[in-house]
Amino acid sequence: MTTQPAPDQPRARALRIYRWVLRLYPAAHRRDFGEPMLQTFGDCYHDAVEREGMSEAQFWLGVLTDESRSLIREHLATLSTVTERIRSMDKLLSAVAKRPVSTVAALLLWVVVLDLLSQSIPSADAIAGSWLFFWLAATVIYGGVLLLVARFAQSLPFPAGESSWRGSWWRLGLVLGGILGIYMVALTAVNVLIPVLAFRQNVGRVLLSLPFTSGPGMVWAISLPLLAGTAGIIGAHAGGKVRIGMAVGALAGTIMMATQTAIVGLLVLLSIALYHTAPPPVYFNGAQLPMLYPAFLDLSYVGQYLVNGASQASLPFGLIFQWIFAIIVWLVPLVVGSVLGVRTVRQTDTAAVAARHGWVGRLFARPIRFAGLALLLIILGPVLWLCSSLGQSGINTYGNPFAVLAFASASYVIAGLLIWLLAVLASVVAISVTTLARRSRPPGASAAPAQ
Amino acid sequence: MKTDQPQIPLTPAVFYILLALAGGDRHGYQIMKQVQHDSQGQVTMGTGTLYGSIKRMLADGLIAEADERPDPALDDERRRYYRLTDRGRETLAAELQRYDEVVAIARQRRLLPGFSVEPGR
């Protein structure tokens, strides 16, 4: 009995369909058992349908019933393997759980700092005089957070190139996308609820003056490269390949953007409903209410920035620009993050680095490990700021959104290239120093002890 | 994860696959047919269930891929044959022993069908 009949036979069609069913199995299972399963299926078809005369419908009913059960079982088994590995995050989560106040305070501080920084962005005309602040602040903020991310990624137990992770980029993407979706919901809730609560309870002219009232748009926009880089690092570190980091980041980013769009849609519906049931007061205690609805519910800030501060920009227009903006800002850090994610795996042997390079090696061991990440940090901050500045700058684009988009894209690319050159120079200096130190070591000197 | 002790009781699928392989090395479809025969049609497993069980049994060390093919001249080279390991044989024996003890208890309590009409058997 053969499993490779002429293509025009019913069995060939059945085998073709079953081959598609096999694609639904986890990659590892398909790789290990795909071919024998196909052969066994062919034998079953031959005996049941061709020899015993069972109807096709009855045969396929049995096959699909069995396969659906088996598919669920195999995917659950694969997920349980992933879950075991994710348990290594328990330490981090338990540490966070033990310090809820500190964690919440840190998150709030993060949002406030981002928002304050976004408000301090110099206009494009004044940007030439603000380079120091422009470079340092962004580098420090992104640097600190991403170093923590990379440090944590290195502590994860899964090594690069393990097959079960290679096949599960979409699971990682779903998990990260879920986290980013929650982040979007939390960010929106903070920015919408705080002004409302402050107004309702009248505790809060102070609260109203806080930067939350500028809306989540800028916080979201400034966070984008950080999130993209992080997704790339985690994906590439887990999968051991740049393209896995890219796939994970792309899926996670799409889920985040879809969540953002859904939130905006829901809030707009809510604002319309509220407006029709209870029109809002414009003044309260003699003061004009800042950004209360429907204005503050319109979350298409990024879109408005890009269309030259045109607050009259329609919501769909704003949403479309949010997506375009996100794709542009997401893509480059994602590529860089994915490359660095692989590097964090390959450069974990810092003890060997230290042994080769003596005391300078020990000094540089950790920086060498994070050298690639530092590159990412240097690129991310200023580039985003430049984009944002152009958006806020009032450059006269005569309301042409494509012109604004072209400005933002061009600035992004040019700034990235410049900073990349500087980073290369810095790397050359660092490597030269370590090489010189190695040469200056007397022959026969013992290697430095491992860290 | 492998342990030294056989993990019994076994699921019907695992038990019948072990039973099928106790008679000699077999490939997937032969196992499927043998299981159906041994269970008198009460246990039928599709391709997905069969290979899911095989995967777990390979991981548990109950079975292994056979190095030699029963009749290479008449068979497709791509077929994979499976054989019982020592651990699989011990596990099957332990399970059969368990069945035997259960049957003994059932006999003592005169629970087996037809047993009551032949007391003292």
Side-chain angles (χ1 to χ4, degrees), chain A residues 122-182:
Chain A
S123 71
D125 293 337
I127 210 166
S130 313
W131 279 108
L132 185 63
F133 178 70
F134 180 80
W135 286 65
L136 288 181
T139 304
V140 166
I141 290 173
Y142 285 118
V145 175
L146 277 179
L147 283 177
L148 286 175
V149 170
R151 179 83 177 155
F152 176 63
Q154 285 182 327
S155 71
L156 292 177
F158 46 86
E162 264 197 40
S163 56
S164 60
W165 278 91
R166 284 186 181 178
S168 63
W169 62 268
W170 58 274
R171 292 191 189 91
L172 266 178
L174 285 178
V175 171
L176 286 180
I179 293 170
L180 294 182
I182 292 170

Side-chain angles (χ1 to χ4, degrees), chain A residues 99-122:
Chain A
R99 300 171 183 83
V101 177
S102 310
T103 305
V104 170
L107 284 174
L108 285 177
L109 183 66
W110 168 246
V111 173
V112 171
V113 167
L114 282 176
D115 215 296
L116 281 172
L117 284 174
S118 73
Q119 291 187 359
S120 330
I121 292 172

